[in-house]
Structure formats: C-alpha cells, structure tokens
Amino acid sequence: MDGVIYIRDVQFYVYMFSLYLEGIIVELLKYGDKVAIVACSNGLDESNIIKMNELEKTLYDIGLKSEFSDKIYKKVSVFNGTDEERAEVLMKFFEDSSIKAIFDVSGGDLANGILDYLDFEIIRNNNKPFFGYSDLSVIINSLYSKTGMKTYLYQIRNIIEANKTKQLKEFKNTFMGSGSELLTFNYEWVQGNYMEGIVVGGNVRCFLKLAGTDYMPDFEDKILFLESLGGDVPKMVTYLNQYKQMGVLKKIKGIILGSYTEMERENYSPNIIEIIKKVINDTNMPIIKTEEIGHGKDSKCIIIGERIKLSH
C-alpha cells in the first residue's frame, strides 16, 4: 500500500473487540453442540460435496455436530431451491433449539430473495449466531436491523481452505473458548484518530441490495464496514456514490475498509482509498483500512451489530 495513505506516522494497531456487550463472544459454542450448514444464496456445484464432507469431519473433530440443509447444491441453473424453500430451511434451523449456530457456505446473488419469507419475530425469540459473508451481507444486516441480534461476517469454509490450520485454531479459540484471535485485526488509519459506533455493512455491492427496503439498517451513528471481491474502478465509484446519495455518509461515524481483492490484485488506479476519500470529500470522517477482513481464505471475522471503539 505504498503511496496510498497520505498521512504521517501511520501505525499498525491490533484492535481487540470490546466484549462488554453481554459477553456474547465468550464460549459462543461448546463441545458437543450441533450447528447447521445452509446455502441461502447461490447453490453450490456438486463438485463441492467432497469439501462439504471435509467440513463436516473438521467440525466433528473439534467437537461440533453438524446438520446440513437439503438445499445446498444446485438443482436448476444456480438455484438450490426456491426462495421460499431456502427461507423455510433457515427458519427450521432457527426454531430448532438443538441448533446452536447457523453457518452459510454460499455466496453469489440470490440471498435477498428469501427475506420476504423470513419470520423475524420467531427469529428474535430464537436468537442464535448466524455466520455468512459476501452476498449474505443482505441477511446478516437484515437479521440485525429486524431483530437487534448480532451476526457474524465470516465464511466457515475458511477452516478447510488454504489457511485451514491457522483458521481452525483461531476459530476454535475464539468461538469455543475465551480467545479473540478471529476478532482481532491489523489496520491503518487513513484519516482521523477515533471512531466509535455499531458496525453495519459487508460486501460493498451486495449490501446495496437493501437500499430502499425495510431491511436496511439505520445508519445513524454507525460504523460502516465495506469490502469487495470483484469490481474495477468505475464500479467502486458507482457503489460509493450510491451510498453518498442515500445519505449514508452524513449519518455514519466512521468507515472500515476491508480487502478489495480485484482492485488490489490488479493494482488499479485510483485505488480504493483514493476513491473513497474523493467521494466522501470530508477530512473529518474517520477511516481505517485493513487487509484482514474480506474474501481472503485467511479472513478474520467482524460482528454486525457490535459496538466498537477505535483510537489512534
């Protein structure tokens, strides 16, 4: 990121999430718990069966039993069931008291289709951790906005991917113990030196699907987290201008930029930091940048609905 951040004395900080909100992070899961595996967005290709078997075994090895949705794999085109069917599966797992957490293994484009079929009152009364990333940004933010529950922007498949040894250790320590490795990330200050608020957001493109709907969280005094897998300069400019035109940037108290995989891999110019500084055009808006939360197989987790406080 040489030449990217135009401030002096930039330092790397390791931020430990505040656990003062009811201690929800401590031992989120226990040995012997049962968890659900779902795919609320695009269905997986059946070639992923081997990977899903590995996921089941890996979870079992650390003491977690798993129950897989019957709507995981593609049946027609990219569809693994109708919107209503996928929503029905998710509701079943929320209502099942034996299920202690729900992990979504999908991504793509279809997640927002299930929103109208979810009963958020039932979900509120059966609160349990929901994990997903990318297109699941629409669900994790809707769950927060409609029920007040915290949700987890994290892909469980990371524990069987390229960085599986480290990811599995950190997952177990963080969510089955009292550690916080997956919730601790390095970052740089782009501008400002303090931010505090409740985190909302996710994938820069997918989160925008909630624009104009009742599912979009209230942005007042929030911290906006944004990351991206694909997308070139024109797309990033378009997305960020839409957030601006929605009035989001006048309400939030800070921005956390995650990884922007294509932008950073291809070394596009202007880069994401230059783009967002130009779109915001407000030197008083606190912004930090981290490489450790996004689509990478080594990605950390960030909690939607969690209050954080960062200072230089």
Side-chain angles (χ1 to χ4, degrees):
M1 291 179 34
D2 292 346
V4 171
I5 300 178
Y6 303 102
I7 59 176
R8 295 182 180 181
D9 300 323
V10 174
Q11 301 179 31
F12 279 100
Y13 279 82
V14 175
Y15 170 67
M16 186 80 67
F17 269 91
S18 301
L19 303 182
Y20 50 78
L21 289 185
E22 301 178 7
I24 194 170
I25 313 301
V26 178
E27 293 189 356
L28 198 68
L29 293 166
K30 295 180 174 63
Y31 189 91
D33 279 350
K34 183 163 69 169
V35 301
I37 308 297
V38 299
C40 294
S41 187
N42 296 29
L44 304 186
D45 190 270
E46 289 192 354
S47 63
N48 284 280
I49 290 176
I50 295 175
K51 279 289 187 183
M52 292 301 100
N53 289 339
E54 182 183 355
L55 177 61
E56 181 178 16
K57 181 181 184 304
T58 300
L59 290 171
Y60 181 81
D61 288 344
I62 62 172
L64 297 175
K65 296 173 284 187
S66 56
E67 182 175 340
F68 280 69
S69 161
D70 62 355
K71 299 291 186 293
I72 294 286
Y73 302 104
K74 299 175 183 177
K75 300 299 182 184
V76 179
S77 183
V78 299
F79 301 99
N80 50 330
T82 65
D83 294 338
E84 190 170 6
E85 288 170 339
R86 300 195 317 281
E88 183 180 355
V89 168
L90 184 57
M91 289 303 306
K92 180 191 76 170
F93 286 134
F94 268 111
E95 293 181 84
D96 185 344
S97 61
S98 72
I99 299 295
K100 303 306 180 183
I102 303 170
F103 296 94
D104 195 294
V105 293
S106 67
D109 298 288
L110 304 178
N112 65 338
I114 79 168
L115 295 177
D116 291 343
Y117 300 102
L118 299 180
D119 188 323
F120 291 98
E121 185 62 29
I122 290 177
I123 292 173
R124 181 184 293 109
N125 293 328
N126 293 273
N127 190 329
K128 61 190 65 175
F130 181 90
F131 291 73
Y133 83 148
S134 193
D135 192 39
L136 279 301
S137 298
V138 302
I139 294 180
I140 62 177
N141 283 276
S142 296
L143 290 173
Y144 164 67
S145 67
K146 287 294 189 179
T147 72
M149 64 186 283
K150 297 175 186 177
T151 54
Y152 299 78
L153 195 147
Y154 180 74
Q155 177 50 256
I156 190 62
R157 288 181 299 171
N158 287 354
I159 69 172
I160 58 168
E161 297 289 355
N163 293 276
K164 60 185 179 182
T165 301
K166 184 172 185 289
Q167 283 279 312
L168 183 59
K169 178 182 177 181
E170 293 184 351
F171 175 88
K172 185 176 180 180
N173 290 344
T174 302
F175 298 120
M176 299 181 70
S178 58
S180 59
E181 293 94 329
L182 271 185
L183 302 172
T184 304
F185 58 94
N186 293 315
Y187 63 87
E188 295 177 329
W189 283 98
V190 175
Q191 58 183 42
N193 56 24
Y194 179 84
M195 68 170 72
E196 179 179 2
I198 292 173
V199 177
V200 296
N203 181 267
V204 65
R205 173 184 68 87
C206 298
F207 189 35
L208 280 174
K209 296 178 188 180
L210 299 182
T213 74
D214 293 336
Y215 304 110
M216 183 66 96
D218 178 8
F219 287 97
E220 197 69 42
D221 297 334
K222 299 298 193 299
I223 303 298
L224 179 62
F225 171 78
L226 296 173
E227 61 81 33
S228 179
L229 173 61
D232 54 13
V233 169
K235 288 185 176 67
M236 294 304 117
V237 172
T238 295
Y239 300 147
L240 292 173
N241 270 312
Q242 185 173 351
Y243 285 103
K244 181 178 182 179
Q245 291 158 6
M246 289 164 56
V248 171
L249 303 183
K250 292 183 178 180
K251 296 180 179 180
I252 59 175
K253 293 298 184 182
I255 296 172
I256 300 175
L257 295 173
S259 59
Y260 283 72
T261 306
E262 180 181 338
M263 289 280 295
E264 291 159 358
R265 182 186 65 237
E266 302 299 330
N267 197 28
Y268 289 146
S269 181
N271 58 54
I272 190 61
I273 293 176
E274 292 167 330
I275 291 170
I276 201 162
K277 289 175 72 175
K278 182 173 178 60
V279 171
I280 291 174
N281 193 27
D282 179 3
T283 57
N284 292 317
M285 175 66 72
I287 304 172
I288 64 170
K289 177 72 170 74
T290 179
E291 306 297 332
E292 297 185 345
I293 307 175
H295 274 69
K297 305 303 182 186
D298 58 348
S299 179
K300 304 282 186 142
C301 172
I302 194 165
I303 304 175
I304 303 303
E306 177 74 296
R307 178 173 293 276
I308 66 170
K309 182 189 296 185
L310 302 175
S311 59
H312 204 297

